Structure formats: C-alpha cells, structure tokens
Amino acid sequence: MPSIVSKSSFKTLQRFVPDYAPYTITKYESERTGMSAVVVDREGPKVNGFFTLATEIHDDSGAPHTLEHLCFMGSKSYRYKGVLDKLATRAYSTTNAWTATDHTAYTLETAGWEGFAQILPIYLEHVIVPTLTDAGCYTEVHHVDGEGHDAGVVYSEMQGVQNTQGELMDLRAKRLLYPENVGFRYETGGMMEQLRVLTADRIREFHRDMYQPKNLCLVIVGQVDHSNLLHILEQFEDSILNDIPPPDSPFKRPWVDSDPAPLLQRSVVETVDFPEEDESSGEIAVMFFGPSCNDLLGASALNILLVYLAGSSASILENTLVEKEQVASAVYYSTEIRPNILIQFSLSSVATDRLEEVEKRFFELLKATAVNPLDMTYLKDCITRERRIIKNSIETSSTPFSESIIYDFLFAGRDGSRLKAELSDMKEFEVLASWPEAKWQNLINSWMADANHVTILGKPSAILSKKLKSEEKARVEEQKKKLGPKGIKEMEKRLADAKAENDREIPKGLLEHFPVPSTKSIHFIETITARSGAAKQLGRLDNNIQRLVDSDNTKLPLFIHFEHVQSNFAHVSLIISTESVPIPLRPLLTIYLENMFTTPIERNGKKIEFEQVIKELEKDTVDYGISLGGGIGNPEVLVMRLSVEVEKYASAIQWFKELIWNGIFDLERISSTTVRLLADIPEAKRSGSSMLNSIEEMIHSAPASMVRARSTLVQALYLKGVRHRLINDPDAIINQLTEIRHKLFQFSNFRVAVVANIEKVAEPVLSWESFTVGLDTSKPLHPLEKRLSRISEAARNPGRLAYIVPMPTIDSSFALSFAKGPSSLKDPRIPALMVALSYLDAVEGPMWVAVRGTGLAYGTSFARHTDSGQISYSVYRSPNAFKAFQTGRAVVEGFVKGQTKFDALALEGAISSIVLSIANSEATIGAAAQMSFIRQVIRELPEDWNERMLEKVRAVEIDEIRTVMKDIVLPVLTAATANLVVTCAPVMEGELLAGLRDMGFTPEVRSLASFQDDYGMGVPEGADNEDEDDGMEDGDEEEGDVDEEGDDEGDGGGDDNKL
C-alpha cells in the first residue's frame, strides 16, 4: 500500500520490538487533540481494533453502559440507526463493544486492512460525535411498553443479571472495598431503579465529559498501513474540531487525576443472600488489595504466587480444599488491574451450613503457607512455565498485548515508557527466580495472609427468591395503576413514535457510496502439510517438509499429519476413535477424562502420586488437555493434546505413553472427581440456554453418541450411580475404567496431528516408535466416527415434536428447532445456503430487525450442521419464544413467496461476512494449521476448499438463495418438518403450549428430569438425596449465545479441543 502522508500531527512516542515476539509495537499521540494510537504489527488475515475510553462515574445510573449502546444509533454524518453495522458488514467487518468499571471499548474486527481503513473514520465519528437522540435513548435504555411493563435493551439486559448470585455478591464487595468518592464502587452497567429515571441529558453530559479525543486510545493489532492510518486520523480530527471541547481546555483524566482508593482499614466478612430455591450450597469470595499496577515486578510476582497457591490440583489451596477435604468444588483466582490490583479468590459449591467454617479454613491454609517452608522447586517451575505460557499465548492470540496496552492507557503516564518497560523483555522472571524463600513468604503475608480483606459469603435464600418476584410484581401493578389505561396508551404511542424515528430507512445511495473493498489486503497464513504412515493414504505430497519427514527413516504405520508453521512450540494431538468403547460405558468417560492428567502413575515399579505427576507435567508443557473433538469438527472422537517447547517434542510423546498406559485407577481420586462433578450439576441445570442444548442432545442423539453420553442430563443420574457403586462395589467401577482403557487406546484408533516448525523437530516420525511398542500395528485404521451415524430416529425424521420445559430459574424463554439439512460440504446447495444464512443473520439484517428490533428476543441465529445433516434455528432470551419463532418463519416465508425483495447491497454484505468468518477461523498460525487438518482429515476436502467455495459463493444467484430458503431454511420453522425445544419461566407455559399447538406442533410440557438417562447404571432408591426440583434456583440465567456443535467451514476453533 502506498505511503499517503508525509507530515502528520501524530508524533511517535515509542517504537520497539519485544525480544520474545516478532511484533513491532508503536505508540502515536496527536499534538492537536491528544488522541493516541498503539499499533501492534502482526501478520495474519485479521485486523482488530479496540477503541478505548477511560470512563469514570460516581453513581449507579448506568450512563457508561447506555452510552455504549447509543453510539451505534447514528452519528453526525450518518444519522441512521444501523448504518455503521451495514457498512461494516460490507467491509468484511463486525463491530461490538463492552463497558467495564474503568473503561468502555468499541471493537472492530476486519479481514484485511482495506476494509478496516474504510470503516475506521465512520466508527470513530459514531463514538465521538453520536446523535444521542431522545428517541434512541427511549427505546434503547428504558421505556414502558403498551402493556405497562418496563422494557428497553439496556434495562432488559440488567434485569437479567441484577439479582443473580454473582452480581449481588460483587456489588456488596464493591461497596465494602471502595468509599463513595471512588468510581470502582459503582455499577456502571446501571441498576434497574436508576435506569428507570436516567435521562438523555445525563447521558449526553457523560459523553461530553468523557468522550474526548484526548481520552481515547486506539489499539490496533494486525497488518497495518501506518501512513494510511495517520492520514485517516488526521482527516478525522479535521472533521470533529468544531464538535468537541477545545483540545486545550482543562481535562481531569479519569482514575489518574482522581482521588486514590484508600487501603482497607479492617477486614470485613459479610453474608449476602441471593435468590435460590435450593439452599444446600453457596459461594465464597475473598478480596485483597495487591501491589500497584505500575509496579511491574510486583505484579509479575503476584501472578506467580496465585499460580503457586491455586493454579492446579497440585497447588495448596485447590489440593487441600477441593481434592482432599472436598469442601468446595473449585478454588478460582482472578485479578482486576486497578491502581492497586484487586485480588480475588472464589470457592464454589460450598455447603451453606459450612460457609463460615470453610472461609476460616481458607485463611488457616494461607497463614500456614506463609510460615511453613515453601516448595521452592515447584515455585521456580511456576516462574519458568509462566514465561513459556506468555510466549505461547502471544503466538496463539489474534490480539497479543491488547489488554496490557489498554491498562497502560488507563493508569500509566502518556509517554508509553511504562508500556515499553512491561513488554520489551521478560527479564523480570530472571529477577523473580533469584528471590529467596523469605521474600515470597513476606509477600503472601503482606498481600493476603495478614492483609485486611473483604469476604462475601454468598448464601442461597428461597425466601428472597419469592420476595423479589413478589415485590417486582407489585411494583409493576402499581405502575400500571398509576399510569391508568390512558397513560399506558400514551406510553405505547410514545414508543411507536420513537421507533418510527429510529427506524428511518437508510438511503441506498449512502450505502452504495462505500464499495466492497478488495480482498488483496487480506493476508492468510500459509502452512505446509506433510504426512507419515497411514496418513499417506490421503495422498502423497511433494514439498520440502514432506521430504524432511520422509528422510526420518522409519516404516512406522502410525497415522501422523504434520502442519509446518513458524512457531517456538510443538502442539501434539492424539485423535482417538471411540467406536470400540461399549455404549453403556461411554458416560463413564466423563470421569476417565477428568482424571487423565490428575491421577497417579506407575513408573519403574513405583507409584508417583498425582500431585507430583501434575508438577512434572507442568514443568514440561505449556498446555495440556483432553476433550471431545467438537473444536476439530467431530464431537464423536476424543482429542488428547500436549503443547511443549519444540525441543521437548520427544517428552510430549513419552507423556502420552505414561498417561495412557501407566495411569493408576486410584479409588480416592475417582471418588473425589465424582463428588466434584456432581456438585457442579445443579449450577449447570440453572441455565435456560445450557439446558436447551442438553435436551436437544437427548432428543436428537442416539445413545451411542459421545455428545449425548456426556450430556448434563445423562451425568446428573449416571454420576449418582457411580457414587453409589464406589461405596458398595468399587471394584466394578475400577474394572469398567480398565475396560475403557483397553478398548479405547488401540493402535487402530489413533491418529496424530503435529503443529510445529518441523525443521526444528528432531526425529518427527522416529520419536513415535517407543509409543507404539507393544501395540498391534497390523490392524487397519478405524474410520473416524460420523456424527450422522449417531443421531436418533427423531433427528432422521423430524416433525411436530415440541417440548416445553418450565424452569423456575429463568425469567424468559429460549427455543431451538432442528430440521433436515445437507449432510456433506460437497452438496451443491451449500454455497447458496451459506449466503442465505449469512443474509438472514446479519446485524441489522432481516431477522435482527424483525425479532431483536421489535423486542421479541435478545437474538436469533441459524446454523448448519453438515456433520449430522441438520439445520437449526435458535431464539435466545425471549419474552415469548413462540412469537419470535413465528416471526422468524414469517420473515423467511416472505422471501420464499417473493413478497420481500432481496437487497443487492445486503447480499454483498452477506458474502463479505463469509470472507470474515474464514479469516476468523484462520486468524493465528495455530488456527490456520488446525483448519488445514480439519479440511484434509476430518472433512476430507481439498486444501484449496476455501478458495473454491468463495468462488461459488460469489456466483450464487437470487433464485438459488430463494430455493434453499424454501427447501432447507423454511422447514426448520415449519411444524411438519421440525422438532422444537423450549425452556421457559413457568408462567409462560400456557401461552407457549397454545401457540405451538395452533402452529401444528404436538407440544408436551415436560420436566428436565424426564429427559435424564442413566445408561443402565442404575440409581438405587435412597441414593439420590437431591430434591425433586432438579436443583434449580431462581434468577440465575446464563449469559452468552446458544452453544451449538455447528460444523460450518470456518468454525472449528475452541480452546478446549484445539490441535
């Protein structure tokens, strides 16, 4: 790209290359407005932007959060709701934002620099010069609808979280940690009672105070044209100078110029009730103030101490409280970067009647750790491993250093010197490794064991659950009474007028003015494939890496797929067929996999305890895990993975061997794991969206399916049977685990994937010979299981089934429908289907406008599942899932019947979104290598499938789109051809039942328990001590989208099962 500007008002404050990463970091600052930009030059197809403002407020009004929403409603030059997202979609981009306590960040993710550059000035104008109309504030923040109920996008969002356990505990902790003059005390998302009275003028005032260029930092990661960037920013500054306060006017910098938070003067322990019908277990949160965030060495030391204390099952707190004493299901730690770092420990699933006792035990352990000898060998291993983890995370992250840059902007000097000191090298680890034991013990004492602290004991309360619902019902009734029929009609009209103003049609010429950018600036990461053993049956390759692999003289038949990338690490995965495991034993794999890395092993005739195994494993690795293969496009297989420094490639293989064949089925470990997994079941059953997926798995997966066997609704019963047998017949469980090992770990079940710089790997093939010793290598390789072969009869012939599952834990409804779809990516309808779904699901697209835009649901989405030959439609958090479903059908039907015209510009945007999805799936070297493996091995597609598919996608005609909407999409919204699951608040049951029946479904109202299956394990009477309410509690609804096992090309990420 050409250099555009020769002189700029942006001066370079810092430019440096970290000595452990091949990225250049540059910080610019404008001499005109004070706006700053930090660029991380990083190769890859994506450019990511985080446009960050330091935001501080001393009330619970929610102004920061509401402003984050309102900035997307239009700007000075683009005065139309949705115009930013429509333009972004055309430019291979997507937008989003978040509001934290101390900052607001607006994100822009783009495939390639050209699209990013096109959207950047438009986006910045939305941030700095938004319209902030009364109508926008009314619809987005809070209003009263035509039935007298409170509504609004922000209001509904906070309504879903304000009375949850986590929010109630967190808010009380803030009040105890910080006094009234400190912004960290407040709920920046907004409390419902304050959102109901928040005015547009207050929001505009907050914007005027905080949203100034001098308080804005652009963090940009990717392949960036610096000259073009500075030119864009220069022009943007020119365009806003008359709309902002004079750049030289006084400005109080948030947080830096504010009164500092005082240190705690005493320790406080408080109990906070949260609404919960099951009063059996609660939570503990313990908070301390740590070092200054500008004390870089201290911050690094704190991270090491937290890993040492609670980083794994071998660490002191986790090992004692979870593994041995079993008084909590987990001990988590976290830190929040603030002027003084906030340290928090969370203890989950603690028996309610033992909350105080366990809190005291927690501090006994901390104090004992501070005075007793430390395991200095393990602590130094933690230091070394943390250094490796940081280096690996920089390679595997698509946005390296972005978080550090944001917090440097918030709390450090403007010149970037602290940023350079933090990121330029890793010498602090050398300093920490030299510290004596006494220094570490002093830090444990001063920051935690002897420090003043705030402890919140989260206690479940059924009374509070009923009280909150009763009070809210009474408040709404009083509101209706006060408004009266006339007042409610006026509210309805006001809302309709506001919507009409917001939803003015965007002039077509405005969108046409911005062409779809060229794809020339999208630089995909290239990998080189090589094959060995049975993998060569996929075809012989001719490249330097293949010749290198072939030169490793061995006739080992093991299937090994190599992906050559420029990396300091080797990511080694064992993909394991599960077909040979007997179906009744497949649910037991949950315990087997949980214990894989945390069980004793036998070595040279001696038992190595599991704590020592973990310590040795962590010493050799940067990452390890085992899970179902959903992340590689096949959830019916297992993926066991180890990531090591490339020099330790042979060590990784040795670990595979030891963990698989030398693991000891230790009764104490198995019992501990079973108790812990059971303790987590009630929490999983509180989420409407999670249970929606679990029920769908039970309906549409056959018993042979690994997805079904590991479902929460199977584990809820099966684990109770395991617990009973462990007490009464433990040998039976040991024998079953032994049988699983024998059936699962056979040579014919193994495929290996290696992602590394193969040129640096010693003996890439020969190193595996020791792994195969004693295995029968003569048997042919089992084909990989197909999801399609493990679906149920209901999935093969869907139609009219509908299940309504009331859950007292949620206040809204969720829906998921499934119908038949293409079962191969080679199906000629796939290109048109990709465009159709991308078109329908676009931000500010047809479904968004019809469903989310009218308040019928927080969101909807389609997904294709070619691995199982299905298509799905989901409704997330809806006041009436039937109406959202019905509306979705009407939208699709309009296109099918020709009543709704396709928008040519939106179709261009749909194709651009497909390009972005491919870039998302290959954003890093590891992701690019993984997608190459998925294409070639899992999906058996040619290496250039993306390129071929994009050509076909660009050639799709409108008639083809209409045809797939008629033949594939509409059936998932039609009773005769779809199955539907709804989870909902009990009060919604009747209306949903009537609506679905009228639509042609044969709906049934069923409980969660009715879908459970114990796979023949048997739960003797009396073994189940849980109440019949399914362990469900009020008001704890899960955030996030419905998690589906989709297999779209471009999916296949997922940290839990990456290669």
Side-chain angles (χ1 to χ4, degrees), residues 23 38 119 183 262 438 558 568 575 592 709 742 968 985 1010 1022:
Y23 309 140
V38 182
I119 296 301
L558 182 65
N568 294 309
I575 295 87
Y592 194 107
H742 175 71
I968 302 175
S1010 70

Side-chain angles (χ1 to χ4, degrees), residues 838-857:
S838 181
Y839 183 89
L840 290 169
D841 276 344
V843 177
E844 297 293 342
M847 300 301 291
W848 176 289
V849 171
V851 181
R852 176 170 170 140
T854 58
L856 289 176

Side-chain angles (χ1 to χ4, degrees), residues 606-791:
K606 295 182 179 179
K607 180 181 179 181
I608 310 298
E609 295 296 342
F610 84 94
E611 293 93 343
Q612 185 61 31
V613 172
I614 293 172
K615 289 177 180 179
E616 292 182 16
L617 190 59
E618 290 181 345
K619 185 175 182 178
D620 281 346
T621 67
V622 291
D623 193 20
Y624 56 86
I626 185 168
S627 59
L628 297 186
I632 62 165
N634 188 338
E636 297 298 334
V637 302
L638 296 179
V639 179
M640 184 177 181
R641 56 184 169 76
L642 292 168
S643 295
V644 297
E645 290 171 304
V646 70
E647 313 86 64
K648 292 191 175 182
Y649 177 73
S651 296
I653 297 169
Q654 180 61 29
W655 273 115
F656 277 119
K657 184 174 182 178
E658 276 203 315
L659 292 165
I660 288 171
W661 287 293
N662 295 358
I664 297 171
F665 296 123
D666 181 89
L667 189 60
E668 182 180 340
R669 298 296 306 129
I670 297 166
S671 298
S672 174
T673 298
T674 303
V675 169
R676 177 167 51 81
L677 290 172
L678 272 170
D680 289 335
I681 294 289
E683 183 176 354
K685 293 170 85 173
R686 296 168 193 160
S687 165
S689 58
S690 290
M691 286 302 96
L692 189 76
N693 285 290
S694 291
I695 296 165
E696 186 277 321
E697 290 163 1
M698 300 303 291
I699 295 169
H700 290 138
S701 297
S705 170
M706 291 300 303
V707 174
R708 188 182 193 276
R710 297 198 66 205
S711 166
T712 300
L713 293 174
V714 169
Q715 297 300 313
L717 277 185
Y718 192 88
L719 290 172
K720 291 170 186 171
V722 171
R723 180 179 61 186
H724 179 77
R725 287 199 187 182
L726 286 171
I727 295 170
N728 297 283
D729 187 11
D731 287 345
I733 297 298
I734 299 296
N735 291 337
Q736 288 178 330
L737 290 169
T738 303
E739 183 179 358
I740 287 175
R741 174 157 62 191
H742 175 71
K743 297 285 188 181
L744 190 63
F745 297 113
Q746 300 177 20
F747 183 85
S748 53
N749 286 339
F750 292 153
R751 288 168 176 81
V752 174
V754 178
V755 178
N757 184 335
I758 307 303
E759 293 173 334
K760 294 183 179 179
V761 175
E763 299 182 330
V765 179
L766 196 60
S767 298
W768 287 93
E769 283 198 336
S770 62
F771 177 80
T772 61
V773 171
L775 297 180
D776 183 355
T777 61
S778 64
K779 291 184 178 180
L781 191 65
H782 287 154
L784 288 173
E785 293 75 19
K786 300 294 185 183
R787 182 94 174 91
L788 188 61
S789 69
R790 293 182 176 181
I791 62 173

Side-chain angles (χ1 to χ4, degrees), residues 9-13 27-31 34-37 414:
S9 64
F10 281 82
K11 60 183 177 181
T12 303
L13 298 181
K27 178 167 187 176
Y28 299 105
E29 186 175 76
S30 170
E31 295 180 305
M35 179 166 55
S36 60
R414 300 295 295 262

Side-chain angles (χ1 to χ4, degrees), residues 369-403:
T369 303
V371 297
N372 293 329
L374 301 178
D375 183 343
M376 290 301 294
T377 300
Y378 179 53
L379 193 146
K380 290 186 177 182
D381 286 343
C382 289
I383 295 171
T384 305
R385 188 167 193 260
E386 188 68 12
R387 179 180 181 133
R388 290 198 304 270
I389 288 173
I390 290 172
K391 291 176 71 174
N392 181 57
S393 67
I394 290 165
E395 279 191 9
T396 56
S397 170
S398 61
T399 57
F401 305 121
S402 56
E403 185 174 324

Side-chain angles (χ1 to χ4, degrees), residues 1024-1054:
D1024 181 2
N1025 295 319
E1026 292 187 0
D1027 296 333
E1028 292 300 315
D1029 63 2
D1030 289 314
M1032 300 184 296
E1033 299 81 15
D1034 287 339
D1036 193 3
E1037 188 175 301
E1038 183 180 88
E1039 291 291 322
D1041 294 329
V1042 174
D1043 180 20
E1044 298 159 338
E1045 289 287 358
D1047 72 348
D1048 290 0
E1049 181 71 7
D1051 293 339

